[in-house]
């Protein structure tokens, strides 16, 4: 876990953790069993939030919970398949009945598969739509009424720079991440006041799952060549961006897609 991990030593000013920044906020993180979701959960917990960790991977959830609790944070877990509408509704209803409100939804659950378009299996295509698109919609619809009632809320979904700069083999993934942009823009105009809906758009981020993919090293080298900030993107980089979008300081930002890629691409 790297919630307090400094940026590279050439950065003059190092990031700081503010232990009470999100004190007693109720923060739901999906995809919390691994990768960026785990780091995001830890980053909020390190700053005082009560975490609700959702994922299909129960053992991974328990690991994240233990890591958070070992550093003095508060985290509850619940198995939830974000592509399953009743499961999402039940997880959000349970969170509300247990914790009374939801301040932040950080939706990191996602899948990425690589297959050339002409060979793309229908099964893998439908899975991308179910998890990345339907999951984002079901979650938004389930949390929004509670946030609107409270007059405050932050919904942060996850797109990808591959939407702006697609790579071969990612058609269904890129399509699903484009849909996330449509969702945040359309949800933003219905959500407020006090409730914002944004997306973070990570570039290539060095997670265990990403490292396990065939051809990862080659892709990484090419991306690093073109990236303005010449280092690997880390889960903590994305977690910090999400925490900013969740913060009271970001209250005037909604319907936005925030690129966090070290300048891999400048548009979307
Ligand atoms: N790592 C990158 O380079 C990168 C780049 C751009 C965008 N993203 C996006 O960031 C998000 C997190 O990526 P990551 O690299 O941490 O991935 P990861 O594979 O390490 O973690 C994803 C988590 O989502 C969970 N998950 C998958 N399907 C689920 C479902 N149906 N219901 C609930 N949980 C489910 C997995 O169990 C896993 O714990 C994803 O949306 C991904 O598309 C990642």
């Amino acid at each position: 876990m790297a919630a307090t991990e400094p940026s590279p030593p050439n950065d003059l000013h190092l990031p700081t953790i503010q232990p009470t920044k999100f004190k007693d906020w109720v923060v739901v993180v999906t995809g919390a069993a691994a990768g960026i979701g785990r780091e995001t959960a830890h980053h909020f917990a390190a700053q005082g939030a009560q975490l609700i960790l959702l994922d299909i991977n129960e053992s991974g959830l328990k690991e994240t919970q233990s890591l958070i609790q070992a550093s003095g944070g508060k985290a509850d877990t619940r198995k939830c398949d974000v592509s399953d509408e009743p499961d999402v509704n039940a997880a959000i209803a349970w969170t509300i009945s247990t914790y009374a409100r939801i301040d932040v939804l950080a939706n990191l659950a996602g899948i990425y598969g690589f297959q050339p378009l002409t060979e793309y299996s229908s099964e893998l295509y439908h899975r991308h739509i179910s998890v990345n698109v339907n999951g984002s919609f079901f979650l938004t619809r389930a949390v929004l009424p509670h946030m609107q009632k409270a007059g405050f809320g932050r919904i942060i979904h996850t797109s990808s720079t591959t939407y702006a700069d697609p790579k071969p083999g990612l058609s269904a993934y890129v399509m699903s991440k484009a849909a996330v942009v449509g969702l945040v823009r359309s949800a933003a105009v219905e959500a407020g006041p006090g409730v914002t809906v944004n997306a973070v758009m990570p570039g290539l981020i060095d997670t265990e799952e990403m490292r396990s993919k065939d051809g990862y090293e080659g892709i990484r080298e090419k991306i690093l060549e073109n990236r303005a900030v010449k280092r690997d993107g880390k889960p903590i980089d994305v977690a910090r961006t999400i925490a900013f979008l969740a913060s009271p300081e970001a209250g005037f930002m909604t319907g936005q897609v925030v690129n966090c890629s070290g300048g891999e691409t400048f548009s979307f």
Side-chain angles (χ1 to χ4, degrees):
M1 305 306 293
T4 52
E5 177 187 290
S7 288
N10 59 338
D11 282 6
L12 182 59
H13 300 293
L14 299 180
T16 52
I17 286 287
Q18 295 171 263
T20 57
K21 174 97 192 174
F22 297 106
K23 188 170 175 337
D24 299 331
W25 287 39
V26 179
V27 177
V28 174
V29 177
T30 75
I36 303 170
R38 169 174 288 175
E39 191 67 52
T40 299
H42 191 252
H43 191 56
F44 276 105
Q47 298 186 85
Q50 167 65 56
L51 268 294
I52 314 300
L53 312 172
L54 306 181
D55 205 292
I56 42 170
N57 173 354
E58 279 185 286
S59 60
L61 278 179
K62 292 290 170 206
E63 240 177 79
T64 305
Q65 184 184 37
S66 302
L67 286 161
I68 287 175
Q69 289 173 343
S71 42
K74 292 177 283 184
D76 215 336
T77 66
R78 187 178 164 111
K79 185 171 184 248
C80 174
D81 178 347
V82 300
S83 70
D84 182 324
E85 189 176 349
D87 217 15
V88 168
N89 290 341
I92 297 306
W94 171 80
T95 304
I96 292 292
S97 70
T98 312
Y99 294 98
R101 61 175 209 280
I102 295 172
D103 297 289
V104 179
L105 165 70
N107 177 26
L108 279 309
I111 57 159
Y112 30 92
F114 298 82
Q115 272 174 12
L117 181 52
T118 52
E119 293 159 29
Y120 217 94
S121 82
S122 299
E123 194 273 328
L124 189 59
Y125 166 76
H126 286 299
R127 218 147 35 89
H128 277 84
I129 302 305
S130 293
V131 179
N132 299 356
V133 181
N134 296 348
S136 302
F137 183 83
F138 295 153
L139 285 158
T140 305
R141 193 181 52 189
V143 298
L144 201 48
H146 303 290
M147 292 179 169
Q148 286 175 323
K149 196 169 157 210
F152 180 88
R154 300 280 190 259
I155 298 174
I156 298 129
H157 289 298
T158 313
S159 185
S160 162
T161 52
T162 57
Y163 171 40
D165 184 17
K167 301 285 180 278
L170 285 173
S171 55
Y173 177 73
V174 171
M175 184 178 156
S176 71
K177 294 300 183 178
V180 169
V181 175
L183 174 65
V184 302
R185 289 181 167 180
S186 53
V189 299
E190 293 189 40
V195 183
T196 64
V197 189
N198 293 291
V200 63
M201 182 183 256
L204 185 68
I205 301 298
D206 182 29
T207 59
E208 213 173 292
E209 174 67 17
M210 195 49 89
R211 277 197 299 275
S212 74
K213 298 283 185 198
D214 285 344
Y216 170 74
E217 260 316 309
I219 295 171
R220 174 181 171 265
E221 273 170 30
K222 267 200 198 131
I223 286 180
L224 274 176
E225 246 171 58
N226 295 320
R227 192 179 264 170
V229 178
K230 301 278 179 209
R231 66 166 173 85
D232 283 316
K234 296 287 184 186
I236 188 65
D237 291 307
V238 184
R240 287 176 181 140
T241 307
I242 291 172
F244 169 68
L245 289 171
S247 71
E249 288 79 6
F252 201 51
M253 292 175 70
T254 195
Q256 301 306 303
V257 181
V258 178
N259 183 313
C260 176
S261 70
E264 221 172 82
T265 172
F266 293 109
S267 59
F268 74 91

